[in-house]
Amino acid sequence: DSGVTQTPKHLITATGQRVTLRCSPRSGDLSVYWYQQSLDQGLQFLIQYYNGEERAKGNILERFSAQQFPDLHSELNLSSLELGDSALYFCASVFGADYNEQFFGPGTRLTVL
Amino acid sequence: LAKTTQPISMDSYEGQEVNITCSHNNIATNDYITWYQQFPSQGPRFIIQGYKTKVTNEVASLFIPADRKSSTLSLPRVSLSDTAVYYCLVGEGRDKIIFGKGTRLHILP
């Protein structure tokens, strides 16, 4: 158990819909990273937040957005969903702002039908 | 941003030592080298991180030559449970994190 929690574990929705994925970092960690992993693909870095502020941006689509709240939990919002958005979405947390050992959550499996 | 190159897959047998090499020719002065392990449908798990020479912990060793253009993850006496994907990352923090596709290690009985 990494100490990072993600909800929900599974999500099934239809094309065109909008969903929100939630991540609670380890106690004391200030940074949250979001990743997308499609079937048989590597992890694609989407975005990083540090203490409520966006820190780095990766291959995040304009249909996707994220935020980190004052209690440090983070949400990833996916809208106008397409079949290709079906994937595992992981969040990871780190104490500091810069890359170090990341602790990953169990992931949310999103299925778009 | 340093790009990494790893073998796509490797097979080995239980009890053997496994070495996975990662090339990172454009590594920057401030970059660290980090390895993660991922089992199917689970988040990656940190294995080891190093900057130069050799680092060892309870599960692996990381060998980094003087020019730092490559690194080798060494797993001693592997077991079936070491079957996983192994990712090599290079970076120093604010860069975008690139995991790549990793090396799929298959341990045979």
Side-chain angles (χ1 to χ4, degrees):
Chain A
D1 184 357
S2 66
V4 178
T5 60
Q6 289 187 248
T7 56
K9 279 190 176 179
H10 301 277
L11 196 50
I12 301 174
T13 187
T15 54
Q17 295 298 304
R18 173 190 169 94
V19 297
T20 297
L21 312 184
R22 181 187 169 105
C23 169
S24 293
R26 292 187 319 157
S27 177
D29 283 357
L30 302 177
S31 267
V32 170
Y33 297 77
W34 284 99
Y35 295 87
Q36 178 193 58
Q37 187 170 39
S38 303
L39 191 64
D40 293 330
Q41 296 294 311
L43 283 143
Q44 298 287 322
F45 167 64
L46 297 178
I47 197 164
Q48 178 206 0
Y49 278 81
Y50 172 72
N51 205 21
E53 300 290 325
E54 183 182 303
R55 183 81 170 185
K57 221 167 186 177
N59 301 320
I60 189 166
L61 300 172
E62 285 192 12
R63 300 184 286 108
F64 296 179
S65 65
Q67 54 184 328
Q68 186 178 29
F69 295 86
D71 66 353
L72 300 176
H73 91 271
S74 179
E75 292 181 356
L76 179 67
N77 301 296
L78 315 176
S79 61
S80 303
L81 285 168
E82 302 174 358
L83 296 178
D85 298 327
S86 294
L88 264 171
Y89 291 84
F90 292 104
C91 77
S93 76
V94 177
F95 173 71
D98 292 332
Y99 175 71
N100 208 321
E101 177 178 352
Q102 295 189 22
F103 293 86
F104 281 78
T108 293
R109 182 174 295 279
L110 173 66
T111 302
V112 182
L113 301 175
Chain B
L1 182 63
K3 180 183 173 183
T4 61
T5 303
Q6 304 174 233
I8 293 174
S9 65
M10 293 178 66
D11 289 340
S12 188
Y13 291 93
E14 278 194 294
Q16 299 292 307
E17 177 185 78
V18 171
N19 296 310
I20 306 174
T21 297
C22 178
S23 297
H24 28 80
N25 291 320
N26 297 322
I27 190 168
T29 304
N30 295 334
D31 285 346
Y32 279 76
I33 301 154
T34 310
W35 286 80
Y36 282 82
Q37 175 193 56
Q38 186 181 27
F39 298 112
S41 298
Q42 294 185 25
R45 186 175 67 105
F46 173 91
I47 301 174
I48 199 166
Q49 184 180 72
Y51 183 79
K52 62 180 180 181
T53 63
K54 177 184 174 183
V55 180
T56 297
N57 62 22
E58 63 277 6
V59 297
S61 294
L62 179 59
F63 298 92
I64 305 168
D67 66 5
R68 304 201 326 122
K69 293 184 183 298
S70 67
S71 58
T72 299
L73 173 73
S74 181
L75 305 172
R77 296 179 300 282
V78 294
S79 64
L80 295 177
S81 62
D82 292 315
T83 294
V85 179
Y86 293 81
Y87 296 96
C88 164
L89 284 77
V90 172
E92 64 109 354
R94 297 191 184 196
D95 292 341
K96 300 172 191 180
I97 310 301
I98 296 182
F99 270 76
K101 295 197 176 180
T103 297
R104 194 172 296 272
L105 176 64
H106 186 205
I107 305 301
L108 303 165

